[in-house]
Amino acid sequence: MIELPVVPVNQMSRKPDWLRVRLPVGKEYAQVRGLVDEHKLHTICESGNCPNMGECWGAGTATFMILGNICTRSCSFCAVATGRPLAVDVDEPNRVANSVKLMGVKHCVITSVDRDDLKDGGSIIWAETINALRRESPETTLETLLPDFRGVWENLERVLETRPEVVSHNLETVRRLTKEVRIQAKYDRSLECLKHIAAAGLRTKSGIMLGLGETEEDVLEAMQDLLDAGVQILTLGQYLQPTRNHHPVIDWIHPDQFAKYKQLGLDMGFRYVESGPLVRSSYHAEKHLFEI
């Protein structure tokens, strides 16, 4: 058990104006919605309550989540359900690949729940999904947002051998808050994961949520740690509390502060920094491939 900051209901601040988003609408959104439902796909857009779902789905893109929608970990920030996952769906790679082809996706993002219940950590399904996408949509470029595979690096290497164009693993928060926010994860293990990705010669990416109680000093330390690990692409976004049972928002980070972090990151040596209140790991993901 961990203790989280207690914020009384009457002290919970309202979201500032800069965090307002449009409701999902439009023909393109409806088409993606229909494909996701028809093929029984899981998307982190829905499971993670992403504020950009309307924008991204309206553009005909989505981030697919494989290996089910039940995670074996219980991070205090995450809206994905925690529990005992269902058996692996061996047909999932083909269904995802077929849907990407039907949607005509040019740049596809794939992520997954943590599957600590599996000896391979889900890496076999990961590799099969990427290979199926290559077969069905050879022109589609790929970004993979990977778990840490509990530090079993042979499982990570199985996925890296498929050579996605961008490989991401999120640090999520600063060192000081990791035990509070990422209960079953380890800050240094995530950095080691990113070092393995960079050592494989792949475009390496990571992201941090802000507003969990970190200081600017904490953020700059994490940014330097990521840079030292070989990360080229950094995303910084505002944490939003999914439910009252999750970690509360401690601070609303002003857009000016996000702009400051972006410039600092570029000055430090990151090749691309996406920084803003509504930024999520896969937001504008295609730019992380084509604009650096």
Side-chain angles (χ1 to χ4, degrees):
M1 299 290 291
I2 62 168
E3 293 185 1
L4 297 177
V6 176
V7 181
V9 173
N10 60 1
Q11 292 184 20
M12 291 183 71
S13 58
R14 296 178 61 183
K15 292 179 183 177
D17 290 342
W18 62 77
L19 282 169
R20 293 180 179 177
V21 295
R22 295 179 180 179
L23 292 173
V25 293
K27 179 181 178 181
E28 291 83 2
Y29 169 82
Q31 181 181 8
V32 175
R33 166 87 274 166
L35 285 168
V36 168
D37 291 342
E38 179 184 353
H39 295 277
K40 299 178 181 178
L41 300 170
H42 302 297
T43 69
I44 195 62
C45 317
E46 299 168 292
S47 297
N49 293 335
C50 181
N52 303 310
M53 186 168 67
E55 178 183 350
C56 295
W57 282 29
T61 64
T63 299
F64 295 103
M65 185 169 69
I66 61 173
L67 291 163
N69 61 350
I70 301 175
C71 189
T72 53
R73 300 189 187 181
S74 52
C75 298
S76 68
F77 68 88
C78 187
V80 176
T82 300
R84 180 177 295 178
L86 301 176
V88 169
D89 181 357
V90 295
D91 189 49
E92 186 175 46
N94 292 325
R95 288 191 291 106
V96 172
N98 185 51
S99 296
V100 168
K101 183 178 180 179
L102 288 172
M103 291 166 59
V105 173
K106 300 298 182 184
H107 183 65
C108 179
V109 182
I110 304 293
T111 188
S112 79
V113 292
D114 283 282
R115 292 298 303 259
D116 295 336
D117 58 314
L118 302 174
K119 184 177 181 180
D120 75 318
S123 61
I124 292 175
I125 289 292
W126 259 107
E128 289 178 352
T129 301
I130 296 169
N131 289 332
L133 283 163
R134 297 290 195 208
R135 289 193 304 270
E136 294 296 322
S137 301
E139 300 302 317
T140 299
T141 52
L142 290 173
E143 175 180 327
T144 54
L145 174 54
L146 300 176
D148 62 19
F149 295 105
R150 291 185 300 167
V152 181
W153 304 127
E154 310 92 88
N155 292 332
L156 173 64
E157 294 297 333
R158 180 178 287 119
V159 184
L160 300 185
E161 286 172 0
T162 64
R163 310 297 295 178
E165 281 76 13
V166 180
V167 184
S168 179
H169 171 71
N170 284 339
L171 192 61
E172 304 292 10
T173 190
V174 300
R175 181 184 292 276
R176 182 172 58 84
L177 297 177
T178 294
K179 289 183 179 180
E180 181 180 306
V181 174
R182 303 174 69 207
I183 303 167
Q184 295 109 318
K186 297 179 180 178
Y187 185 89
D188 288 310
R189 186 166 68 192
S190 283
L191 292 176
E192 188 66 22
C193 179
L194 289 161
K195 288 178 183 178
H196 277 272
I197 296 168
L202 294 163
R203 196 165 302 199
T204 309
K205 174 179 171 182
S206 191
I208 303 173
M209 301 173 295
L210 304 183
L212 288 160
E214 70 289 328
T215 65
E216 182 173 309
E217 182 180 2
D218 289 330
V219 177
L220 294 178
E221 176 192 36
M223 290 169 66
Q224 187 61 57
D225 287 341
L226 289 171
L227 195 63
D228 293 343
V231 172
Q232 300 165 300
I233 305 161
L234 174 66
T235 62
L236 299 165
Q238 171 71 52
Y239 167 67
L240 299 176
Q241 184 179 4
T243 73
R244 294 186 183 277
N245 295 324
H246 288 81
H247 195 296
V249 174
I250 305 301
D251 302 295
W252 298 114
I253 310 303
H254 194 274
D256 290 347
Q257 183 65 30
F258 277 108
K260 178 181 179 180
Y261 284 136
K262 178 173 183 175
Q263 189 57 54
L264 288 170
L266 293 172
D267 292 343
M268 290 169 67
F270 288 101
R271 295 181 64 186
Y272 193 100
V273 180
E274 192 84 57
S275 181
L278 293 174
V279 168
R280 294 297 179 266
S281 182
S282 58
Y283 187 55
H284 291 166
E286 70 284 352
K287 294 183 178 181
H288 308 158
L289 175 62
F290 300 116
E291 294 191 10
I292 67 171

